[in-house]
Amino acid sequence: DTAVSQTPKYLVTQMGNDKSIKCEQNLGHDTMYWYKQDSKKFLKIMFSYNNKELIINETVPNRFSPKSPDKAHLNLHINSLELGDSAVYFCASRPGTLDTIYFGEGSWLTVV
Amino acid sequence: RKEVEQDPGPFNVPEGATVAFNCTYSNSASQSFFWYRQDCRKEPKLLMSVYSSGNEDGRFTAQLNRASQYISLLIRDSKLSDSATYLCVVNPSGGYNKLIFGAGTRLAVHP
C-alpha cells in the first residue's frame, strides 16, 4: 500500500513539450507539496497546498502550474519544457503543522 | 547565508566507526528539526526527529543546541547499510510553512 504515489516514475520528453506529473496520497493528510531535486541533489520546495488551497508558491517559473482537485491529489503541469527542468520531482504530504513529511518515490524528468 | 548548512562530505568510514554530522540553521525562530536519510535514486525518508533534550534511537543520537542554532547526528558502530546521504531538515516557523532541507552529507561505510 503506497502512501504517496506519483506517476510517471520516469519521463523523457523533448524541449517545448507540455507534461504532467500526478500525485496521490492515501494517508488522509491535509497538506501536500511539490519539491524539486536538481543534479546537485539540493531539495527545494516549489508549491504547497492545504485542503486544496495554495499556501506556498516559491519563485518558480509560471510554466509550472499545480492543481489540487481534492486534498488527496496534487498534480503538476509543466508547459514549454526546458533543458533546465530536468530533475527529480518529489511529491510529499504532511499531517499537521509540526509533523514531518512523507515523500513519494519521485518522478525522474529528463528534457532532451 | 544558506538557511540550512551541512558539511557535504563525503565521509568515508570503516564498519564499526563512529561518525558525527553537523548542521547549522539561520532562523532562530525555527521550531522543529529532523534528520532524513536518502539512498541513491530513492526518496528521502525520516530518520528521526530532533528534540531539545536530545534523543536516541538505537545507534543514532540527535542533539539540538538552540543557542548556537546547531543540530548534530551521531552514528555509532557504523554498518555498510548506513551508507546514504543524511539531510538536515528545519521547519523555520511552524504553521504550514515549508520544511527547509540542507544539501545533505554523504556517508560511505566500507568493509
Side-chain angles (χ1 to χ4, degrees):
Chain A
D1 290 346
T2 305
V4 183
S5 58
Q6 37 183 128
T7 55
K9 182 159 186 176
Y10 300 102
L11 182 56
V12 180
T13 188
Q14 290 189 323
M15 280 174 58
N17 284 350
D18 303 338
K19 291 293 177 187
S20 291
I21 307 171
K22 296 187 176 182
C23 178
E24 175 182 6
Q25 54 97 1
N26 61 6
L27 297 166
H29 292 169
D30 291 334
T31 308
M32 294 184 73
Y33 301 83
W34 278 110
Y35 276 83
K36 177 181 179 181
Q37 189 168 44
D38 59 26
S39 57
K40 294 182 180 175
K41 308 299 182 189
F42 198 55
L43 259 173
K44 288 191 70 174
I45 190 166
M46 301 174 70
F47 302 103
S48 178
Y49 274 73
N50 185 65
N51 276 322
K52 303 193 295 177
E53 181 185 346
L54 180 66
I55 53 171
I56 295 174
N57 185 348
E58 290 293 287
T59 308
V60 175
N62 57 15
R63 298 182 295 104
F64 290 79
S65 51
K67 277 195 173 56
S68 182
D70 55 62
K71 78 172 193 176
H73 295 84
L74 179 60
N75 303 323
L76 183 65
H77 187 76
I78 316 170
N79 288 326
S80 303
L81 278 155
E82 300 177 357
L83 294 176
D85 297 333
S86 296
V88 185
Y89 293 84
F90 286 102
C91 178
S93 72
R94 186 181 185 192
T97 58
L98 293 181
D99 292 308
T100 189
I101 65 175
Y102 299 85
F103 286 91
E105 293 184 336
S107 294
W108 269 253
L109 172 66
T110 302
V111 182
V112 297
Chain B
R1 183 184 171 188
K2 288 182 185 169
E3 292 179 272
V4 180
E5 293 204 68
Q6 296 182 247
D7 182 340
F11 284 57
N12 293 301
V13 303
E15 276 187 289
T18 295
V19 61
F21 303 139
N22 302 321
C23 169
T24 57
Y25 59 94
S26 60
N27 187 338
S28 59
S30 297
Q31 296 199 5
S32 51
F33 311 87
F34 310 92
W35 283 101
Y36 273 70
R37 169 192 169 131
Q38 186 172 23
D39 292 292
C40 188
R41 299 187 67 77
K42 296 286 189 182
E43 74 274 22
K45 291 184 178 177
L46 176 67
L47 179 66
M48 58 198 302
S49 301
V50 186
Y51 303 119
S52 295
S53 54
N55 48 300
E56 190 174 306
D57 182 2
R59 298 181 293 109
F60 299 83
T61 301
Q63 297 275 358
L64 168 64
N65 184 324
R66 284 188 183 272
S68 302
Q69 294 175 213
Y70 171 94
I71 304 159
S72 65
L73 176 68
L74 184 75
I75 306 175
R76 290 182 300 279
D77 189 22
S78 298
K79 312 287 184 196
L80 294 175
S81 57
D82 293 334
S83 298
T85 297
Y86 291 83
L87 304 167
C88 177
V89 184
V90 175
N91 180 349
S93 58
Y96 296 112
N97 281 344
K98 55 197 176 188
L99 292 184
I100 307 295
F101 284 76
T105 298
R106 207 166 125 239
L107 172 65
V109 182
H110 57 82

